[in-house]
C-alpha cells in the first residue's frame, strides 16, 4: 500500500513565493510556519502573499490550502497546473484583482507565474487589474514590468521556450500614497508549454553591445522623460554608443473613491515617473536596472536617470551571464530540466546573494541534487563561478509525449 509523503517543513516568510512554486512543480506538500510571529500589529500573511495564494489556486486544479487563525502557519498541498482552463472567465483569461493595500509591484506575481507557465497543461492567460497593480519598480525592491518583458522573458529562449509569449502593459502606474497600489493593468499570455526545458550551457558573458530602455511618465509632464533620458545617456553613451531609450507618456489611472455626496466619485493614483534600462551582450546575456520616483516625491528626473545608469553599470560589474534579478528563474528552470548537467556562469556577488543561497537550500530540501561550484576558466579577472546543476527531469505531467 502506497503512503503519501510527509510535508516538507519550512519556517519564516522569506522565499515564500518560490517555496510554493517548487512545491507545485514537484508535487510536494509544504508546511510553512513562523510567518512573522513576533509582529505586534500584522502577524502572519500579508495581503500580497494571500493574493498570490489565490492566484496559485486559479491556475491549478485540486490544490488544497490551510491557513491558521493567526495566519502564521500555511499548509499547501499542490494540484495540477492547468493554466487558464482552470477558472478562466470570458475568453479564457483569468482576471486577478490586487487589493488596494498592496505594496508590491506586479512583477512579484509575474516572475513565479512565468516559472510555472511552461509546465502548465494549457496556456496561461492572466489579467492583473484592480487598485493594487503597480507596473513600475517599487521601494520594496520589485522590478518594473518593462524589465520583466525585456530582461527576463527573453531568457526563456535559452531553454527552448519562445513561442506565443507576450506581456502587455494596458495601463501604467507608479506606487501611490505610502507606496501602496497604483491602479494599473497588465496582461500576461504564456502559450508555450514544453515537456522538459532544454539543458543550458551559458558560460560566456561576452561584451556589452547595446543598451535599450523605457522612460515612463504617468500623470505628470512628458518633459520628465526627456530629462531622465538625457542624463542617463550622458553617463552611458561614452561607454556604449548604441543606446536608445523609448519614451512613454500616459494619463494617471482612475480608481473609485465614493463618498456620501458623490457615490460615483473617482480619484487619480499612481502618479510618477521612472526609468528601466537593459544591457545586452554579444552572447545574449541581459542585465537590467530600474529606478522610479519615490511615492513621497521630491526627487528630480535627472537624479533618477543618473541613478538608473549607475545601477545598470553596477549590475554589469558584478559579472557572470545573469543579473541578480534573473538568477532564481534561470536556476529554477535548470533544476526542473532533463536529467543532465547544465552549467551557468555567475558573478561572486550574485551567488553570494542571500536569496540565491536560500534558493539552493530550499531546492535541496525538495530533493534536487546540490550545486557544483568551480572557478570559471579563461580570463577570469572578476573571479566568476560556474554553477553546475543536475536537472531533476520533473517535466510537464499535463503535456502528452509526442
Amino acid at each position: 500500500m502506497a503512503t503519501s509523503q510527509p510535508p516538507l517543513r519550512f519556517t519564516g516568510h522569506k522565499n515564500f513565493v518560490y517555496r510554493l512554486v517548487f512545491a507545485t512543480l514537484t508535487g510536494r506538500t509544504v508546511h510553512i510556519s513562523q510567518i512573522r510571529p513576533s509582529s505586534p500589529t500584522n502577524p502572519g500573511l500579508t495581503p500580497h502573499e494571500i493574493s498570490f495564494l489565490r492566484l496559485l489556486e486559479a491556475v491549478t486544479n485540486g490544490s488544497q490550502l490551510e491557513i491558521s487563525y493567526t495566519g502564521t502557519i500555511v499548509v499547501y498541498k499542490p494540484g495540477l497546473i492547468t493554466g487558464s482552463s482552470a477558472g478562466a472567465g470570458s475568453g479564457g483569461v483569468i482576471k486577478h484583482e490586487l487589493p488596494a493595500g498592496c505594496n508590491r509591484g506586479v512583477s512579484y506575481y509575474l516572475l513565479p507565474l512565468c516559472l510555472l507557465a511552461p509546465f502548465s497543461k494549457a496556456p496561461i492567460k492572466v489579467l492583473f487589474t484592480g487598485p493594487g497593480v503597480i507596473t513600475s519598480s517599487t521601494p520594496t525592491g520589485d522590478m518594473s514590468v518593462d524589465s520583466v518583458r525585456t530582461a527576463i522573458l527573453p531568457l526563456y529562449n535559452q531553454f527552448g521556450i519562445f513561442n506565443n509569449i507576450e506581456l502587455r502593459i494596458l495601463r501604467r502606474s507608479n506606487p501611490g500614497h505610502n507606496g501602496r497600489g497604483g491602479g494599473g493593468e497588465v496582461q500576461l499570455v504564456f502559450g508555450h508549454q514544453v515537456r522538459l526545458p532544454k539543458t543550458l550551457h551559458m558560460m560566456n558573458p561576452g561584451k556589452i553591445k547595446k543598451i535599450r530602455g523605457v522612460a515612463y511618465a504617468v500623470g505628470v509632464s512628458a518633459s520628465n522623460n526627456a530629462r531622465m533620458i538625457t542624463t542617463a545617456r550622458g553617463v552611458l553613451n561614452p561607454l556604449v554608443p548604441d543606446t536608445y531609450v523609448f519614451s512613454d507618456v500616459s494619463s494617471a489611472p482612475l480608481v473609485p473613491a465614493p463618498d456620501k455626496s458623490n457615490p460615483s466619485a473617482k480619484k487619480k493614483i499612481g502618479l510618477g515617473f521612472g526609468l528601466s534600462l537593459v544591457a545586452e551582450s554579444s552572447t545574449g546575456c541581459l542585465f537590467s536596472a530600474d529606478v522610479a520616483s519615490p511615492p513621497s516625491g521630491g526627487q528630480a528626473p535627472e537624479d533618477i536617470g543618473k541613478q538608473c545608469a549607475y545601477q545598470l553599470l553596477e549590475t554589469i560589474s558584478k559579472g557572470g551571464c545573469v543579473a541578480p534579478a534573473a538568477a532564481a528563474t534561470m536556476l529554477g528552470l535548470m533544476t526542473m530540466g532533463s536529467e543532465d548537467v547544465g552549467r551557468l556562469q555567475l558573478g561572486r556577488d550574485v551567488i553570494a546573494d542571500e536569496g540565491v543561497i536560500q534558493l539552493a537550500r530550499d531546492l535541496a530540501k525538495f530533493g534536487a541534487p546540490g550545486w557544483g561550484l568551480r572557478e570559471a576558466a579563461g580570463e577570469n579577472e572578476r573571479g566568476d563561478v560556474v554553477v553546475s546543476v543536475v536537472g531533476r527531469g520533473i517535466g510537464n505531467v499535463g503535456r502528452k509525449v509526442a
Side-chain angles (χ1 to χ4, degrees), residues 265-314:
K266 293 185 176 182
K267 66 174 180 179
K268 287 184 178 181
I269 60 168
L271 281 76
F273 50 86
L275 182 61
S276 162
L277 293 173
V278 176
E280 185 180 342
S281 78
S282 54
T283 54
C285 302
L286 297 168
F287 305 90
S288 63
D290 262 305
V291 181
S293 57
S296 55
Q299 197 162 1
E302 287 82 2
D303 295 341
I304 300 287
K306 188 182 289 186
Q307 190 180 337
C308 193
Y310 283 131
Q311 192 184 100
L312 180 67
L313 296 176
E314 185 187 358

Side-chain angles (χ1 to χ4, degrees), residues 29-198:
T29 304
V30 289
H31 177 285
I32 304 173
S33 58
Q34 296 180 35
I35 302 171
R36 302 181 187 85
S38 56
S39 172
T41 52
N42 298 308
L45 296 169
T46 56
H48 60 263
E49 287 167 345
I50 294 169
S51 186
F52 180 75
L53 288 169
R54 282 178 39 237
L55 177 62
L56 210 52
E57 279 189 310
V59 297
T60 58
N61 187 14
S63 297
Q64 296 176 18
L65 199 60
E66 293 176 25
I67 303 174
S68 68
Y69 182 72
T70 55
T72 55
I73 300 173
V74 173
V75 179
Y76 172 65
K77 186 177 181 182
L80 182 69
I81 310 167
T82 49
S84 293
S85 62
S90 59
V93 177
I94 296 171
K95 193 175 180 181
H96 187 69
E97 287 207 19
L98 299 187
C102 185
N103 63 352
R104 301 299 298 259
V106 76
S107 60
Y108 172 84
Y109 305 90
L110 288 170
L111 294 178
L113 188 60
C114 289
L115 205 50
L116 289 172
F119 304 94
S120 171
K121 186 176 181 181
I124 282 185
K125 299 175 185 177
V126 180
L127 176 67
F128 291 92
T129 183
V133 178
I134 304 171
T135 64
S136 72
S137 57
T138 64
T140 48
D142 297 307
M143 66 198 314
S144 71
V145 178
D146 294 287
S147 291
V148 175
R149 190 185 67 218
T150 54
I152 304 293
L153 291 183
L155 296 173
Y156 283 79
N157 291 355
Q158 309 281 353
F159 297 92
I161 305 164
F162 49 82
N163 285 333
N164 196 19
I165 301 173
E166 197 174 350
L167 186 55
R168 305 177 188 133
I169 305 172
L170 306 177
R171 192 186 299 138
R172 288 189 177 276
S173 62
N174 278 47
H177 183 61
N178 292 330
R180 298 176 181 275
E185 202 166 297
V186 175
Q187 185 173 10
L188 172 70
V189 177
F190 205 113
H192 192 165
Q193 279 64 47
V194 293
R195 183 78 183 122
L196 279 170
K198 287 181 180 176

Side-chain angles (χ1 to χ4, degrees), residues 147-364:
S147 291
V148 175
R149 190 185 67 218
T150 54
I152 304 293
L153 291 183
L155 296 173
Y156 283 79
N157 291 355
Q158 309 281 353
F159 297 92
I161 305 164
F162 49 82
N163 285 333
N164 196 19
I165 301 173
E166 197 174 350
L167 186 55
R168 305 177 188 133
I169 305 172
L170 306 177
R171 192 186 299 138
R172 288 189 177 276
S173 62
N174 278 47
H177 183 61
N178 292 330
R180 298 176 181 275
E185 202 166 297
V186 175
Q187 185 173 10
L188 172 70
V189 177
F190 205 113
H192 192 165
Q193 279 64 47
V194 293
R195 183 78 183 122
L196 279 170
K198 287 181 180 176
T199 304
L200 180 74
H201 298 282
M202 203 173 181
M203 294 182 289
N204 182 8
K207 303 288 185 184
I208 301 300
K209 65 174 185 178
K210 66 179 181 181
I211 294 174
R212 296 290 181 265
V214 178
Y216 48 88
V218 183
V220 294
S221 171
S223 64
N224 291 307
N225 280 357
R227 291 161 66 184
M228 284 189 291
I229 292 169
T230 303
T231 313
R233 285 178 67 100
V235 175
L236 298 171
N237 269 10
L239 304 169
V240 185
D242 186 7
T243 302
Y244 180 77
V245 184
F246 176 74
S247 174
D248 189 359
V249 182
S250 57
S251 56
L254 288 167
V255 296
D259 55 32
K260 288 180 181 178
S261 59
N262 188 1
S264 60
K266 293 185 176 182
K267 66 174 180 179
K268 287 184 178 181
I269 60 168
L271 281 76
F273 50 86
L275 182 61
S276 162
L277 293 173
V278 176
E280 185 180 342
S281 78
S282 54
T283 54
C285 302
L286 297 168
F287 305 90
S288 63
D290 262 305
V291 181
S293 57
S296 55
Q299 197 162 1
E302 287 82 2
D303 295 341
I304 300 287
K306 188 182 289 186
Q307 190 180 337
C308 193
Y310 283 131
Q311 192 184 100
L312 180 67
L313 296 176
E314 185 187 358
T315 305
I316 296 167
S317 72
K318 289 182 178 178
C321 298
V322 175
T329 298
M330 297 292 275
L331 292 165
L333 284 170
M334 289 171 75
T335 304
M336 294 300 127
S338 54
E339 296 182 44
D340 195 0
V341 180
R343 295 175 182 85
L344 179 65
Q345 186 166 317
L346 294 174
R348 283 181 183 272
D349 289 343
V350 178
I351 200 159
D353 183 72
E354 183 186 347
V356 175
I357 293 170
Q358 188 59 57
L359 181 73
R361 290 172 177 162
D362 290 350
L363 287 172

